Amino acid sequence: KNGKKLTARCPAWLKLNKEKDKFEVDRVRAKVIKKIFKMTLDGLGKGVIAKRFNSEGIKTFGKSLGWHSSYIQKILDNPAVIGEYQPMKVETTASHRKRLPDGDPLEDYFPPVIPKETFFKAKETREGRRIERGRTGKRFSNLFTGLAICGSCNGSMHFINKGQGNSYLVCSNSRNGLNKCKSHSWRYKSTQA
């Protein structure tokens, strides 16, 4: 009502001005956002985009040492790129805290860096590439979560299941093109001996 923004918290490609009434676009980061959407529309997946950004030395928006597919996904799913802001509230239970939407999204709250058509076309493109999943079997728990590290670069090892008993431990740095790690994957079965 008073023209001030509700919070100084904003997406990494924006910052609140001194008067606290307007968000300003970081042109360098907005260019990266546009590149993510263009690459997605060109048919590239989030993992490939992260790997390319790492090999090109594109600086991340935070303290992370490199780009990860999960962060690319977060940007592609974030309606803030088209200017929307969803107010949230925190619901606390005995076991955890959960963020929930609080009212309708506010349109034109942030300055848009991507046209709406591009945002929804990218979403449609990604959904069109999604492979239908089969029946879900028993839940699998990776025995080495948080324990296994890469012998070449000390990166964390991630469990990858290719189906039909083909599962592997793979260095996350190698997978994302970080630290020039050339580590090979290890068959999960052979690590259980």
Side-chain angles (χ1 to χ4, degrees), residues 98-114:
K98 189 176 183 181
R99 289 180 44 141
L100 299 168
D102 188 13
D104 293 328
L106 305 174
E107 290 190 22
D108 303 317
Y109 182 80
F110 297 120
V113 292
I114 296 292

Side-chain angles (χ1 to χ4, degrees), residues 179-193:
N179 294 346
K180 304 208 181 331
C181 181
K182 302 288 184 211
S183 173
H184 298 286
S185 57
W186 292 87
R187 278 192 164 280
Y188 187 79
K189 228 174 190 173
S190 63
T191 60
Q192 295 175 309

Side-chain angles (χ1 to χ4, degrees), residues 34 93 109 115 119 133 156 162 192:
K34 290 174 185 175
T93 64
Y109 182 80
F119 179 76
R133 294 181 177 208
S156 59
K162 300 278 186 178
Q192 295 175 309

Side-chain angles (χ1 to χ4, degrees), residues 1-15:
K1 291 179 181 177
N2 62 6
K4 301 284 185 188
K5 295 298 180 183
L6 297 172
T7 175
R9 291 188 68 181
C10 61
W13 56 92
L14 301 174
K15 62 183 176 197

Side-chain angles (χ1 to χ4, degrees), residues 130-164:
R130 193 167 289 153
I131 298 167
E132 283 295 316
R133 294 181 177 208
R135 273 185 25 219
T136 305
K138 292 178 184 174
R139 296 269 317 159
F140 175 81
S141 183
N142 177 10
L143 209 60
F144 301 105
T145 301
L147 298 174
I149 59 168
C150 175
S152 299
C153 72
N154 291 332
S156 59
M157 299 294 282
H158 287 249
F159 177 80
I160 307 293
N161 187 355
K162 300 278 186 178
Q164 298 178 339

